[in-house]
Amino acid sequence: MKTCLIVDDSKVIRMVARKILQELGFATAEAEDGAKALDYCKGSLPEAVLLDWNMPVMNGIEFLVEMRKLPGGGKPIVVFCTTENDIQHIQQAIAAGASEYIMKPFDGEIIQAKFEQVGLLEPK
């Protein structure tokens, strides 16, 4: 079973994402900021990361840059999930190593489609 680390400072967003991802067959782990997510990744890298941009302590871009420096840190597929929708933010996320970008609010169909696009799920 593939693992997806859900990184978001909103408990509600983490809960909704966890339910969707578990229904799609993922084991899930959660972190409420980039620093806690980085600590998790130092112990065990997930196959996927669903990542918020704006968080306290360490934001999504800072986390992504640091995770990519870890041994094996280039492997996890990172999908940003954020309200930041201007082209500069999207370009910055892709340049830092994100694979895809989802806008909030999201639903199960959106996550499923994006995870299929990046190869985390077989197309239905």
Side-chain angles (χ1 to χ4, degrees), residues 4-10 13-14 17 21 29-38 40-41 46 48-55 58-60 63 67 79-81 104:
C4 183
L5 176 61
I6 303 162
V7 188
D8 199 299
D9 56 331
S10 166
I13 296 288
R14 291 195 314 270
L21 289 161
E30 298 176 31
E32 62 264 22
D33 62 56
K36 287 188 172 70
L38 190 60
Y40 175 90
C41 290
V49 179
L50 189 64
L51 182 61
D52 187 23
W53 191 294
N54 297 306
M55 296 177 289
M58 178 185 277
N59 72 30
F63 158 77
M67 184 197 71
V79 177
F80 259 99
C81 182
K104 288 180 183 174

mmCIF file of all heavy atoms in Angstrom, residues 4-10 13-14 17 21 29-38 40-41 46 48-55 58-60 63 67 79-81 104:
data_model
loop_
_atom_site.group_PDB
_atom_site.id
_atom_site.type_symbol
_atom_site.label_atom_id
_atom_site.label_comp_id
_atom_site.label_asym_id
_atom_site.label_seq_id
_atom_site.Cartn_x
_atom_site.Cartn_y
_atom_site.Cartn_z
ATOM 1 N N CYS A 4 0.687 8.292 1.551
ATOM 2 C CA CYS A 4 0.634 9.710 1.200
ATOM 3 C C CYS A 4 0.709 10.528 2.484
ATOM 4 O O CYS A 4 -0.079 10.326 3.401
ATOM 5 C CB CYS A 4 -0.645 10.046 0.442
ATOM 6 S SG CYS A 4 -0.702 11.786 -0.075
ATOM 7 N N LEU A 5 1.678 11.419 2.547
ATOM 8 C CA LEU A 5 1.813 12.345 3.664
ATOM 9 C C LEU A 5 0.997 13.589 3.339
ATOM 10 O O LEU A 5 1.213 14.232 2.307
ATOM 11 C CB LEU A 5 3.285 12.708 3.871
ATOM 12 C CG LEU A 5 3.595 13.749 4.942
ATOM 13 C CD1 LEU A 5 3.129 13.287 6.322
ATOM 14 C CD2 LEU A 5 5.088 14.073 4.958
ATOM 15 N N ILE A 6 0.036 13.905 4.205
ATOM 16 C CA ILE A 6 -0.825 15.077 4.032
ATOM 17 C C ILE A 6 -0.258 16.190 4.916
ATOM 18 O O ILE A 6 -0.199 16.042 6.136
ATOM 19 C CB ILE A 6 -2.274 14.755 4.449
ATOM 20 C CG1 ILE A 6 -2.812 13.559 3.644
ATOM 21 C CG2 ILE A 6 -3.157 15.990 4.294
ATOM 22 C CD1 ILE A 6 -4.021 12.900 4.265
ATOM 23 N N VAL A 7 0.154 17.283 4.287
ATOM 24 C CA VAL A 7 0.786 18.383 5.020
ATOM 25 C C VAL A 7 -0.074 19.632 4.860
ATOM 26 O O VAL A 7 -0.129 20.233 3.791
ATOM 27 C CB VAL A 7 2.215 18.653 4.498
ATOM 28 C CG1 VAL A 7 2.912 19.663 5.393
ATOM 29 C CG2 VAL A 7 3.018 17.359 4.395
ATOM 30 N N ASP A 8 -0.766 19.997 5.942
ATOM 31 C CA ASP A 8 -1.647 21.167 5.903
ATOM 32 C C ASP A 8 -1.889 21.626 7.335
ATOM 33 O O ASP A 8 -2.054 20.793 8.225
ATOM 34 C CB ASP A 8 -2.981 20.802 5.231
ATOM 35 C CG ASP A 8 -3.740 22.028 4.747
ATOM 36 O OD1 ASP A 8 -4.084 22.884 5.598
ATOM 37 O OD2 ASP A 8 -3.981 22.122 3.537
ATOM 38 N N ASP A 9 -1.897 22.932 7.560
ATOM 39 C CA ASP A 9 -2.120 23.425 8.917
ATOM 40 C C ASP A 9 -3.592 23.371 9.317
ATOM 41 O O ASP A 9 -3.922 23.535 10.483
ATOM 42 C CB ASP A 9 -1.561 24.846 9.112
ATOM 43 C CG ASP A 9 -2.111 25.853 8.111
ATOM 44 O OD1 ASP A 9 -2.453 25.456 6.976
ATOM 45 O OD2 ASP A 9 -2.191 27.035 8.465
ATOM 46 N N SER A 10 -4.479 23.084 8.366
ATOM 47 C CA SER A 10 -5.903 22.965 8.681
ATOM 48 C C SER A 10 -6.255 21.514 9.014
ATOM 49 O O SER A 10 -6.110 20.627 8.171
ATOM 50 C CB SER A 10 -6.746 23.429 7.494
ATOM 51 O OG SER A 10 -8.094 23.015 7.659
ATOM 52 N N ILE A 13 -8.941 20.224 6.567
ATOM 53 C CA ILE A 13 -8.400 19.827 5.255
ATOM 54 C C ILE A 13 -7.710 18.470 5.379
ATOM 55 O O ILE A 13 -7.893 17.591 4.524
ATOM 56 C CB ILE A 13 -7.413 20.882 4.712
ATOM 57 C CG1 ILE A 13 -8.124 22.208 4.436
ATOM 58 C CG2 ILE A 13 -6.681 20.356 3.476
ATOM 59 C CD1 ILE A 13 -9.041 22.213 3.246
ATOM 60 N N ARG A 14 -6.911 18.282 6.435
ATOM 61 C CA ARG A 14 -6.226 16.986 6.609
ATOM 62 C C ARG A 14 -7.245 15.857 6.747
ATOM 63 O O ARG A 14 -7.070 14.779 6.174
ATOM 64 C CB ARG A 14 -5.286 17.013 7.820
ATOM 65 C CG ARG A 14 -4.074 17.912 7.628
ATOM 66 C CD ARG A 14 -2.983 17.664 8.653
ATOM 67 N NE ARG A 14 -3.433 17.566 10.024
ATOM 68 C CZ ARG A 14 -3.537 18.584 10.874
ATOM 69 N NH1 ARG A 14 -3.210 19.806 10.485
ATOM 70 N NH2 ARG A 14 -3.945 18.393 12.112
ATOM 71 N N ALA A 17 -8.869 15.220 3.276
ATOM 72 C CA ALA A 17 -7.893 14.580 2.388
ATOM 73 C C ALA A 17 -7.627 13.138 2.819
ATOM 74 O O ALA A 17 -7.523 12.241 1.978
ATOM 75 C CB ALA A 17 -6.589 15.384 2.380
ATOM 76 N N LEU A 21 -8.109 9.961 0.397
ATOM 77 C CA LEU A 21 -6.944 9.144 0.053
ATOM 78 C C LEU A 21 -7.082 7.709 0.537
ATOM 79 O O LEU A 21 -6.683 6.775 -0.160
ATOM 80 C CB LEU A 21 -5.668 9.798 0.592
ATOM 81 C CG LEU A 21 -5.280 11.063 -0.172
ATOM 82 C CD1 LEU A 21 -4.326 11.912 0.627
ATOM 83 C CD2 LEU A 21 -4.688 10.702 -1.535
ATOM 84 N N ALA A 29 -0.415 9.587 6.409
ATOM 85 C CA ALA A 29 0.233 10.179 7.576
ATOM 86 C C ALA A 29 -0.035 11.670 7.456
ATOM 87 O O ALA A 29 -0.331 12.169 6.367
ATOM 88 C CB ALA A 29 1.729 9.887 7.574
ATOM 89 N N GLU A 30 0.047 12.376 8.572
ATOM 90 C CA GLU A 30 -0.285 13.797 8.550
ATOM 91 C C GLU A 30 0.758 14.632 9.291
ATOM 92 O O GLU A 30 1.384 14.153 10.240
ATOM 93 C CB GLU A 30 -1.641 14.031 9.223
ATOM 94 C CG GLU A 30 -2.794 13.350 8.534
ATOM 95 C CD GLU A 30 -4.107 13.532 9.278
ATOM 96 O OE1 GLU A 30 -4.302 14.583 9.931
ATOM 97 O OE2 GLU A 30 -4.942 12.615 9.207
ATOM 98 N N ALA A 31 0.907 15.862 8.833
ATOM 99 C CA ALA A 31 1.750 16.843 9.515
ATOM 100 C C ALA A 31 1.085 18.198 9.367
ATOM 101 O O ALA A 31 0.533 18.504 8.301
ATOM 102 C CB ALA A 31 3.147 16.870 8.907
ATOM 103 N N GLU A 32 1.128 19.010 10.438
ATOM 104 C CA GLU A 32 0.453 20.311 10.367
ATOM 105 C C GLU A 32 1.352 21.454 9.918
ATOM 106 O O GLU A 32 0.902 22.590 9.804
ATOM 107 C CB GLU A 32 -0.225 20.651 11.693
ATOM 108 C CG GLU A 32 0.706 20.781 12.859
ATOM 109 C CD GLU A 32 0.823 19.509 13.687
ATOM 110 O OE1 GLU A 32 0.541 18.420 13.175
ATOM 111 O OE2 GLU A 32 1.232 19.621 14.846
ATOM 112 N N ASP A 33 2.628 21.174 9.648
ATOM 113 C CA ASP A 33 3.511 22.190 9.084
ATOM 114 C C ASP A 33 4.695 21.500 8.413
ATOM 115 O O ASP A 33 4.893 20.299 8.565
ATOM 116 C CB ASP A 33 3.974 23.201 10.149
ATOM 117 C CG ASP A 33 4.786 22.580 11.267
ATOM 118 O OD1 ASP A 33 5.808 21.926 10.975
ATOM 119 O OD2 ASP A 33 4.414 22.764 12.435
ATOM 120 N N GLY A 34 5.450 22.279 7.654
ATOM 121 C CA GLY A 34 6.565 21.719 6.903
ATOM 122 C C GLY A 34 7.653 21.114 7.772
ATOM 123 O O GLY A 34 8.281 20.121 7.386
ATOM 124 N N ALA A 35 7.904 21.690 8.943
ATOM 125 C CA ALA A 35 8.947 21.160 9.823
ATOM 126 C C ALA A 35 8.582 19.757 10.309
ATOM 127 O O ALA A 35 9.426 18.845 10.303
ATOM 128 C CB ALA A 35 9.171 22.106 11.009
ATOM 129 N N LYS A 36 7.336 19.561 10.725
ATOM 130 C CA LYS A 36 6.906 18.230 11.162
ATOM 131 C C LYS A 36 6.914 17.250 9.986
ATOM 132 O O LYS A 36 7.256 16.080 10.138
ATOM 133 C CB LYS A 36 5.519 18.300 11.810
ATOM 134 C CG LYS A 36 5.557 18.948 13.192
ATOM 135 C CD LYS A 36 4.209 18.822 13.898
ATOM 136 C CE LYS A 36 4.297 19.297 15.333
ATOM 137 N NZ LYS A 36 4.477 20.727 15.479
ATOM 138 N N ALA A 37 6.539 17.724 8.814
ATOM 139 C CA ALA A 37 6.572 16.883 7.616
ATOM 140 C C ALA A 37 8.003 16.458 7.292
ATOM 141 O O ALA A 37 8.253 15.299 6.951
ATOM 142 C CB ALA A 37 5.960 17.629 6.436
ATOM 143 N N LEU A 38 8.946 17.379 7.423
ATOM 144 C CA LEU A 38 10.341 17.062 7.148
ATOM 145 C C LEU A 38 10.857 16.027 8.151
ATOM 146 O O LEU A 38 11.558 15.082 7.770
ATOM 147 C CB LEU A 38 11.193 18.337 7.184
ATOM 148 C CG LEU A 38 12.622 18.200 6.682
ATOM 149 C CD1 LEU A 38 12.653 17.749 5.225
ATOM 150 C CD2 LEU A 38 13.359 19.525 6.838
ATOM 151 N N TYR A 40 9.083 13.757 9.593
ATOM 152 C CA TYR A 40 8.487 12.486 9.173
ATOM 153 C C TYR A 40 9.296 11.886 8.024
ATOM 154 O O TYR A 40 9.626 10.693 8.037
ATOM 155 C CB TYR A 40 7.028 12.697 8.738
ATOM 156 C CG TYR A 40 6.393 11.439 8.189
ATOM 157 C CD1 TYR A 40 5.724 10.554 9.032
ATOM 158 C CD2 TYR A 40 6.484 11.113 6.836
ATOM 159 C CE1 TYR A 40 5.155 9.383 8.535
ATOM 160 C CE2 TYR A 40 5.918 9.957 6.339
ATOM 161 C CZ TYR A 40 5.257 9.091 7.190
ATOM 162 O OH TYR A 40 4.717 7.927 6.692
ATOM 163 N N CYS A 41 9.632 12.710 7.038
ATOM 164 C CA CYS A 41 10.348 12.227 5.857
ATOM 165 C C CYS A 41 11.764 11.755 6.182
ATOM 166 O O CYS A 41 12.293 10.879 5.499
ATOM 167 C CB CYS A 41 10.387 13.307 4.784
ATOM 168 S SG CYS A 41 8.764 13.608 4.029
ATOM 169 N N PRO A 46 7.437 8.947 2.107
ATOM 170 C CA PRO A 46 6.198 8.427 1.520
ATOM 171 C C PRO A 46 6.333 8.366 -0.007
ATOM 172 O O PRO A 46 7.256 8.949 -0.580
ATOM 173 C CB PRO A 46 5.164 9.473 1.929
ATOM 174 C CG PRO A 46 5.952 10.755 1.966
ATOM 175 C CD PRO A 46 7.324 10.366 2.477
ATOM 176 N N ALA A 48 3.951 9.627 -1.850
ATOM 177 C CA ALA A 48 3.291 10.860 -2.285
ATOM 178 C C ALA A 48 3.182 11.844 -1.127
ATOM 179 O O ALA A 48 3.117 11.443 0.036
ATOM 180 C CB ALA A 48 1.900 10.543 -2.816
ATOM 181 N N VAL A 49 3.161 13.124 -1.485
ATOM 182 C CA VAL A 49 2.934 14.193 -0.508
ATOM 183 C C VAL A 49 1.872 15.123 -1.082
ATOM 184 O O VAL A 49 2.005 15.605 -2.208
ATOM 185 C CB VAL A 49 4.222 15.001 -0.221
ATOM 186 C CG1 VAL A 49 3.950 16.114 0.785
ATOM 187 C CG2 VAL A 49 5.352 14.094 0.262
ATOM 188 N N LEU A 50 0.801 15.336 -0.317
ATOM 189 C CA LEU A 50 -0.217 16.335 -0.652
ATOM 190 C C LEU A 50 0.121 17.543 0.220
ATOM 191 O O LEU A 50 0.028 17.474 1.445
ATOM 192 C CB LEU A 50 -1.613 15.786 -0.346
ATOM 193 C CG LEU A 50 -2.784 16.631 -0.833
ATOM 194 C CD1 LEU A 50 -2.791 16.723 -2.363
ATOM 195 C CD2 LEU A 50 -4.093 16.047 -0.341
ATOM 196 N N LEU A 51 0.542 18.632 -0.413
ATOM 197 C CA LEU A 51 1.243 19.699 0.308
ATOM 198 C C LEU A 51 0.554 21.055 0.186
ATOM 199 O O LEU A 51 0.314 21.549 -0.919
ATOM 200 C CB LEU A 51 2.664 19.791 -0.270
ATOM 201 C CG LEU A 51 3.627 20.790 0.322
ATOM 202 C CD1 LEU A 51 3.884 20.519 1.810
ATOM 203 C CD2 LEU A 51 4.941 20.754 -0.446
ATOM 204 N N ASP A 52 0.281 21.672 1.329
ATOM 205 C CA ASP A 52 -0.227 23.040 1.382
ATOM 206 C C ASP A 52 0.936 24.012 1.219
ATOM 207 O O ASP A 52 2.089 23.681 1.492
ATOM 208 C CB ASP A 52 -0.926 23.261 2.739
ATOM 209 C CG ASP A 52 -1.632 24.609 2.838
ATOM 210 O OD1 ASP A 52 -1.980 25.195 1.792
ATOM 211 O OD2 ASP A 52 -1.848 25.072 3.969
ATOM 212 N N TRP A 53 0.630 25.227 0.814
ATOM 213 C CA TRP A 53 1.667 26.249 0.635
ATOM 214 C C TRP A 53 1.854 27.061 1.917
ATOM 215 O O TRP A 53 2.945 27.148 2.456
ATOM 216 C CB TRP A 53 1.266 27.191 -0.496
ATOM 217 C CG TRP A 53 2.365 28.112 -0.919
ATOM 218 C CD1 TRP A 53 2.940 29.106 -0.190
ATOM 219 C CD2 TRP A 53 3.032 28.094 -2.176
ATOM 220 N NE1 TRP A 53 3.913 29.725 -0.910
ATOM 221 C CE2 TRP A 53 3.995 29.116 -2.141
ATOM 222 C CE3 TRP A 53 2.903 27.326 -3.320
ATOM 223 C CZ2 TRP A 53 4.834 29.387 -3.229
ATOM 224 C CZ3 TRP A 53 3.730 27.606 -4.397
ATOM 225 C CH2 TRP A 53 4.677 28.621 -4.335
ATOM 226 N N ASN A 54 0.781 27.683 2.392
ATOM 227 C CA ASN A 54 0.868 28.625 3.506
ATOM 228 C C ASN A 54 0.655 27.918 4.840
ATOM 229 O O ASN A 54 -0.460 27.527 5.164
ATOM 230 C CB ASN A 54 -0.177 29.729 3.337
ATOM 231 C CG ASN A 54 0.072 30.553 2.096
ATOM 232 O OD1 ASN A 54 1.157 31.076 1.907
ATOM 233 N ND2 ASN A 54 -0.914 30.648 1.233
ATOM 234 N N MET A 55 1.753 27.763 5.594
ATOM 235 C CA MET A 55 1.690 27.127 6.917
ATOM 236 C C MET A 55 2.669 27.820 7.849
ATOM 237 O O MET A 55 3.656 28.392 7.393
ATOM 238 C CB MET A 55 2.086 25.646 6.807
ATOM 239 C CG MET A 55 1.154 24.800 5.963
ATOM 240 S SD MET A 55 1.757 23.104 5.816
ATOM 241 C CE MET A 55 3.186 23.326 4.752
ATOM 242 N N MET A 58 7.241 26.271 8.870
ATOM 243 C CA MET A 58 7.922 26.056 7.585
ATOM 244 C C MET A 58 6.845 25.894 6.513
ATOM 245 O O MET A 58 5.990 25.018 6.631
ATOM 246 C CB MET A 58 8.794 24.797 7.652
ATOM 247 C CG MET A 58 9.507 24.470 6.360
ATOM 248 S SD MET A 58 10.416 22.890 6.416
ATOM 249 C CE MET A 58 11.930 23.417 7.197
ATOM 250 N N ASN A 59 6.876 26.743 5.486
ATOM 251 C CA ASN A 59 5.838 26.663 4.460
ATOM 252 C C ASN A 59 6.103 25.515 3.485
ATOM 253 O O ASN A 59 7.117 24.814 3.574
ATOM 254 C CB ASN A 59 5.642 28.008 3.755
ATOM 255 C CG ASN A 59 6.793 28.371 2.835
ATOM 256 O OD1 ASN A 59 7.473 27.533 2.253
ATOM 257 N ND2 ASN A 59 7.016 29.669 2.689
ATOM 258 N N GLY A 60 5.195 25.310 2.551
ATOM 259 C CA GLY A 60 5.287 24.184 1.641
ATOM 260 C C GLY A 60 6.511 24.207 0.741
ATOM 261 O O GLY A 60 7.152 23.181 0.532
ATOM 262 N N PHE A 63 9.596 23.348 2.789
ATOM 263 C CA PHE A 63 9.613 21.910 3.048
ATOM 264 C C PHE A 63 10.059 21.146 1.807
ATOM 265 O O PHE A 63 10.905 20.262 1.874
ATOM 266 C CB PHE A 63 8.224 21.412 3.487
ATOM 267 C CG PHE A 63 8.042 19.937 3.271
ATOM 268 C CD1 PHE A 63 8.624 19.026 4.136
ATOM 269 C CD2 PHE A 63 7.323 19.462 2.177
ATOM 270 C CE1 PHE A 63 8.493 17.661 3.918
ATOM 271 C CE2 PHE A 63 7.186 18.104 1.956
ATOM 272 C CZ PHE A 63 7.776 17.192 2.830
ATOM 273 N N MET A 67 13.107 18.633 1.631
ATOM 274 C CA MET A 67 12.857 17.198 1.432
ATOM 275 C C MET A 67 13.643 16.675 0.234
ATOM 276 O O MET A 67 14.180 15.575 0.278
ATOM 277 C CB MET A 67 11.372 16.918 1.229
ATOM 278 C CG MET A 67 11.086 15.416 1.108
ATOM 279 S SD MET A 67 9.473 15.020 0.392
ATOM 280 C CE MET A 67 9.716 15.501 -1.314
ATOM 281 N N VAL A 79 2.221 16.789 -4.762
ATOM 282 C CA VAL A 79 1.105 17.506 -5.359
ATOM 283 C C VAL A 79 0.745 18.654 -4.416
ATOM 284 O O VAL A 79 0.327 18.422 -3.280
ATOM 285 C CB VAL A 79 -0.114 16.579 -5.572
ATOM 286 C CG1 VAL A 79 -1.296 17.368 -6.128
ATOM 287 C CG2 VAL A 79 0.248 15.420 -6.498
ATOM 288 N N PHE A 80 0.971 19.882 -4.879
ATOM 289 C CA PHE A 80 0.575 21.043 -4.078
ATOM 290 C C PHE A 80 -0.939 21.146 -4.068
ATOM 291 O O PHE A 80 -1.603 20.900 -5.076
ATOM 292 C CB PHE A 80 1.161 22.342 -4.639
ATOM 293 C CG PHE A 80 2.361 22.825 -3.898
ATOM 294 C CD1 PHE A 80 3.630 22.575 -4.371
ATOM 295 C CD2 PHE A 80 2.217 23.520 -2.708
ATOM 296 C CE1 PHE A 80 4.746 23.012 -3.688
ATOM 297 C CE2 PHE A 80 3.320 23.956 -2.004
ATOM 298 C CZ PHE A 80 4.600 23.694 -2.494
ATOM 299 N N CYS A 81 -1.489 21.504 -2.935
ATOM 300 C CA CYS A 81 -2.928 21.676 -2.774
ATOM 301 C C CYS A 81 -3.114 22.975 -2.007
ATOM 302 O O CYS A 81 -2.931 23.019 -0.789
ATOM 303 C CB CYS A 81 -3.497 20.481 -2.009
ATOM 304 S SG CYS A 81 -5.272 20.573 -1.817
ATOM 305 N N LYS A 104 -7.568 24.573 -3.938
ATOM 306 C CA LYS A 104 -8.599 24.421 -2.909
ATOM 307 C C LYS A 104 -9.780 25.288 -3.320
ATOM 308 O O LYS A 104 -9.563 26.378 -3.848
ATOM 309 C CB LYS A 104 -8.075 24.886 -1.543
ATOM 310 C CG LYS A 104 -7.064 23.970 -0.926
ATOM 311 C CD LYS A 104 -6.625 24.534 0.413
ATOM 312 C CE LYS A 104 -5.558 23.688 1.062
ATOM 313 N NZ LYS A 104 -5.036 24.316 2.272
#
